[in-house]
Amino acid sequence: MSTQTADETDEFEFDESAVKRKRQLGKVFLGLCFAATMVGVVALIALLYDVVSEAWGWLTWEFLTYPPSQIVEHYNPANYGNLPTGPGGMYPMIIGSIYLITLTAIFTLFLGVGAAIYLEEYAPENLLTRFIEANISNLAGVPSIVYGLLGLAVFVRAMQTGASLIAGALTLTLLILPIVIVQSQESLRAVPDSMRQASYGTGATKWQTIRNVILPEAVPGIMTGIILSLSRAIGETAPILMVGAATTLFAPPSLTDPTGPFGAMPMQIFEWAKLPEENFQHVAAAGIVVLLTLLLLMNAVAIYIRNKYDPRG
């Protein structure tokens, strides 16, 4: 039977201490990752607590169904019975945001998914295609105010749409289009190539393969990317401010007349937040709660679609 030498024993002890040190480093790394996660969670909880506590008692059904008022007492539920007119709310801006995001979704669906299908399935692999894809990826990081200036120059002035609902929707479409294209490309790229080849083997054409094989598999990723991008767009203020969105509307915009004036919830919240009366901060907080609720609903829809149509589910 062989016996361990002193050198072998020392080597074993050295390796054991190295393993312990690596385990300790692993625990430290895990703690740092957990702390980084908790920073975002704590910040979100603090934000929600601050906003909800400010809005408590001011968010009522009347707030959701009446037009805004310049008199802060009209928003206080304690004064509803003594008002010569109706209470104040943000109904026109809620409808304006819904109309705005609906038009944006229509434009984004056709332009974003169409561009992704062309770049991923039809475009040749050459320098021009790589140049276009690189620029689309770079455009995803451009500040939103730049898209607002672009919308002002192209849609409002060059196309003479004016400060209209269609101009706001097209500007927000430009804002989120690069993100949607990139996300849609990734979803199309994730479809196994064997499914394409199997479809071609049965005699299907390129379009039939895309329509019947590729798109059904890519729908969860595409729709998730679109809805999350729309969630970003609905909270943007700078782009629609540049194209002339109204800070206050007393009647909702008309979806049948997209060339008319429009407003959105971020604009109304911004207007309330800068007013000098202290109680308007409660009104602005109530508007933020409504906007956050709509954002959470949109994100919930994205999660539902992803889980429902995920083939792995």
Side-chain angles (χ1 to χ4, degrees), residues 9-290:
T9 304
D10 293 341
E11 183 180 356
F12 177 78
E13 293 177 352
F14 173 78
D15 291 341
E16 185 178 3
S17 62
V19 169
K20 290 182 179 180
R21 186 167 62 252
K22 290 179 180 180
R23 288 178 178 175
Q24 291 175 351
L25 289 175
K27 292 180 180 179
V28 171
F29 179 74
L30 176 61
L32 292 175
C33 291
F34 179 76
T37 303
M38 292 307 298
V39 167
V41 173
V42 171
L44 177 61
I45 293 174
L47 171 65
L48 292 176
Y49 174 78
D50 181 65
V51 172
V52 172
S53 61
E54 285 283 342
W56 193 263
W58 294 76
L59 182 56
T60 62
W61 178 252
E62 288 78 8
F63 184 79
L64 303 176
T65 55
Y66 278 85
S69 172
Q70 296 298 324
I71 304 174
V72 70
E73 286 77 14
H74 287 187
Y75 297 95
N76 193 338
N79 299 329
Y80 283 173
N82 304 321
L83 298 176
T85 58
M90 64 182 312
Y91 173 73
M93 293 302 190
I94 296 175
I95 300 301
S97 289
I98 294 174
Y99 286 172
L100 184 65
I101 213 65
T102 299
L103 288 177
T104 303
I106 294 173
F107 295 142
T108 302
L109 179 64
F110 287 101
L111 296 177
V113 178
I117 291 175
Y118 173 77
L119 290 172
E120 195 62 32
E121 302 294 334
Y122 289 100
E125 290 288 340
N126 54 29
L127 183 61
L128 178 61
T129 301
R130 291 193 294 270
F131 176 78
I132 293 174
E133 291 179 341
N135 278 274
I136 289 175
S137 299
N138 291 333
L139 287 174
V142 173
S144 59
I145 187 66
V146 176
Y147 288 102
L149 293 171
L150 180 62
L152 175 64
V154 175
F155 304 127
V156 176
R157 294 179 178 173
M159 298 178 61
Q160 297 184 352
T161 60
S164 59
L165 182 63
I166 190 73
L170 289 172
T171 302
L172 290 181
T173 300
L174 290 180
L175 173 67
I176 65 176
L177 200 57
I179 305 173
V180 172
I181 293 175
V182 172
Q183 176 64 33
S184 299
Q185 280 188 271
E186 292 295 330
S187 300
L188 294 170
R189 197 174 296 139
V191 178
D193 192 60
S194 59
M195 299 183 67
R196 293 177 173 85
Q197 300 303 323
S199 178
Y200 294 145
T202 61
T205 63
K206 183 84 168 180
W207 165 240
Q208 288 174 331
T209 299
I210 293 173
R211 183 186 62 185
N212 299 324
V213 177
I214 299 175
L215 281 180
E217 290 292 321
V219 159
I222 291 174
M223 294 305 298
T224 300
I226 290 176
I227 295 175
L228 293 180
S229 298
L230 293 173
S231 298
R232 175 196 174 186
I234 199 173
E236 288 287 349
T237 305
I240 59 175
L241 179 65
M242 294 303 301
V243 297
T247 55
T248 300
L249 279 181
F250 297 97
S254 175
L255 190 59
T256 58
D257 182 22
T259 60
F262 76 104
M265 286 187 285
M267 296 298 301
Q268 185 65 74
I269 294 170
F270 172 75
E271 179 67 15
W272 284 332
K274 71 177 185 179
L275 292 176
E277 290 89 345
E278 183 179 354
N279 282 337
F280 266 117
Q281 304 306 312
H282 297 287
V283 181
I288 292 173
V289 171
V290 176

